[in-house]
Amino acid sequence: MTATLLPAVAAADPLTLERALELAAQRSEAVRGARAGAAGAAEAARAAGQLPDPMLSVGIENLPVTGPDRLRTTADSMTMKRVGISQEWVSAEKRALRQAAAQAQADRESVTAEAALAEARLQAALAYLDAFYAGEIAKLTTLTEHHVHEEWEAAKARLASSAGTSQEVLQLDAARGVAEDESADVRQQQAAALVALERWLGWRPDDLAPPLLPTSAAEQAYVAAHPAVLQAQREVEAARAEASATAANREPNWTWQVSYGQRTGYSDMVAVGVSIPLPVAPRERQDRETSAKLALATKAEATLEEATRMASAEYRAMSSDAQRLGHRVQRYTAAVVTPARQRTQAALAGYRSNQVPLMVLFEARHAEVDVQRKLLAMQRELAKVQAQLAFRPVPGGAR
């Protein structure tokens, strides 16, 4: 029986942030597409270092087309049935450079896949935080609605016993309507946040566990693992490799040919030859192609420098925000939340001893809920900044 109950218990467990990130990574079509692109580039890189396929040629040479021997293959000694094969020969050095260029492209696609994974995890984490804190605020508004209803019932009872006033009842009746409207508005926001989270999970969780965010990396590690920096680095490597492979084209590829010719009634013949391209103007063609590739490499290097500066500035800005928000949360908790809670406790004790009017208790409770909601808003903002610091870098960093 215990084993039968285990699935139900497991299903009732709140969803954790780490589990949500795992589900988002598994479900993301962007990650799946990027990984497919990386796999395709890896296959292309393996093929780039191979020799071109040989060429098979067949034909008939010197076939008469006029006169009495027209279209006869055995009438003229020059007519020959030929079969041959040719092979373009690419040097080992050039093939190695081509393979290096293709491998650089594959590495770039691999980083793109890792960046897509990091982005999916980050967006899922932000959606999780929005949904979690919306749920916490919904709990507060529901509690406020419950308290206002209790106070409204108490005010009606006091009015019936001539201990209260109709004005007190009307004020609490209006407050009850406001509390119900606030609860409906917060529930609507919570529903929207859960829909956003459902996009990444594929289903809507019933309960969310408090998020446990990992510690953020130092600035150097953050910059080194930033998706924009990693992608720019791979762009530089790919551009340089492509330039090296293009520069090697200054040396032309030779093509070897061999063919066998059959003549009916006459001696068969063999032909052997080689074709060599003649780069008559390398400065105007091959060198310009190489210069174009080198210019692209320079462009990629400039992009890398800009990405590095951007990532460094981004880290410093978010670290400053996280520090500032952390201090604000601590200061607000000590200077505002704690006194508001103490005020509510004092008002409740005074009301129970008939020393404090009901409206004083209502105002104290309402003020405490307001400060609690503001505290949750600050905590949510802090958590989202910390999530960006923790999840924006590519998992594992540069490899």
Side-chain angles (χ1 to χ4, degrees):
M1 182 175 179
T2 303
T4 305
L5 292 176
L6 282 176
V9 173
D13 290 340
L15 178 69
T16 64
L17 174 60
E18 187 59 34
R19 179 56 181 161
L21 299 185
E22 292 175 1
L23 292 172
Q26 294 171 6
R27 190 171 183 271
S28 173
E29 290 298 320
V31 173
R32 187 169 74 92
R35 285 174 175 169
E43 294 296 331
R46 296 188 185 97
Q50 304 298 316
L51 282 171
D53 291 333
M55 297 287 292
L56 175 67
S57 62
V58 294
I60 300 177
E61 295 183 358
N62 303 319
L63 178 66
V65 294
T66 61
D69 296 332
R70 183 170 61 91
L71 301 181
R72 292 179 58 189
T73 61
T74 59
D76 195 297
S77 62
M78 295 183 64
T79 302
M80 180 171 56
K81 302 170 187 175
R82 176 183 51 79
V83 59
I85 190 169
S86 63
Q87 172 69 63
E88 181 184 5
W89 182 258
V90 183
S91 67
E93 179 183 2
K94 189 179 290 187
R95 281 184 280 131
L97 289 173
R98 289 180 179 179
Q99 186 170 19
Q103 185 59 52
Q105 298 287 346
D107 293 341
R108 182 179 61 183
E109 292 296 327
S110 177
V111 166
T112 300
E114 293 173 354
L117 173 61
E119 182 66 16
R121 286 169 54 86
L122 172 60
Q123 295 304 322
L126 295 177
Y128 185 99
L129 293 173
D130 283 336
F132 173 78
Y133 282 102
E136 293 300 300
I137 293 175
K139 293 177 183 178
L140 280 179
T141 55
T142 300
L143 181 62
T144 298
E145 189 178 356
H146 175 70
H147 285 162
V148 172
H149 183 74
E150 287 183 342
E151 291 157 0
W152 178 66
E153 292 290 347
K156 289 198 301 181
R158 285 165 55 85
L159 179 62
S161 62
S162 301
T165 64
S166 59
Q167 182 180 5
E168 187 179 59
V169 174
L170 291 174
Q171 286 178 334
L172 287 172
D173 190 35
R176 186 166 65 100
V178 171
E180 291 174 352
D181 181 69
E182 286 183 350
S183 292
D185 181 53
V186 169
R187 283 194 294 269
Q188 181 179 355
Q189 296 176 15
Q190 182 187 17
L194 288 172
V195 168
L197 180 60
E198 185 180 2
R199 172 201 167 186
W200 298 102
L201 304 181
W203 53 280
R204 184 175 300 187
D206 296 326
D207 193 16
L208 300 176
L212 299 176
L213 295 170
T215 56
S216 58
E219 179 179 351
Q220 184 176 1
Y222 178 91
V223 172
H226 196 282
V229 173
L230 285 178
Q231 289 175 318
Q233 286 176 341
R234 296 300 182 266
E235 287 287 352
V236 170
E237 294 169 3
R240 289 174 178 171
E242 188 68 25
S244 297
T246 303
N249 290 334
R250 211 173 193 276
E251 298 295 329
N253 300 331
W254 293 20
T255 300
W256 300 93
Q257 304 165 347
V258 60
S259 62
Y260 184 87
Q262 183 187 48
R263 299 189 301 169
T264 304
Y266 302 95
S267 299
D268 294 343
M269 294 185 176
V270 172
V272 178
V274 60
S275 299
I276 305 174
L278 298 178
V280 294
R283 292 184 180 180
E284 297 300 324
R285 184 179 176 186
Q286 286 85 356
D287 290 355
R288 289 188 182 276
E289 291 177 351
T290 301
S291 297
K293 298 298 183 181
L294 290 173
L296 292 177
T298 302
K299 176 184 176 182
E301 290 168 358
T303 302
L304 171 60
E305 181 61 27
E306 285 296 328
T308 302
R309 294 177 185 178
M310 178 274 294
S312 180
E314 181 181 276
Y315 177 87
R316 294 174 186 177
M318 289 194 295
S319 294
S320 176
D321 288 345
Q323 186 177 13
R324 173 181 56 82
L325 287 167
H327 291 161
R328 280 189 63 196
V329 167
Q330 293 178 357
R331 183 170 58 250
Y332 192 82
T333 301
V336 180
V337 176
T338 300
R341 186 180 299 114
Q342 293 171 347
R343 176 191 173 189
T344 300
Q345 293 171 351
L348 181 60
Y351 174 74
R352 288 174 176 173
S353 61
N354 292 323
Q355 297 178 353
V356 171
L358 181 60
M359 290 304 298
V360 172
L361 175 61
F362 165 73
E363 292 172 356
R365 281 176 167 174
H366 187 70
E368 182 184 359
V369 169
D370 283 344
V371 298
Q372 288 283 3
R373 288 182 64 174
K374 186 175 180 180
L375 176 63
L376 284 173
M378 286 191 292
Q379 289 174 335
R380 177 181 60 189
E381 188 177 355
L382 172 60
K384 293 179 76 170
V385 173
Q386 292 173 334
Q388 292 185 70
L389 286 169
F391 298 121
R392 188 175 295 282
V394 169
R399 299 177 203 172

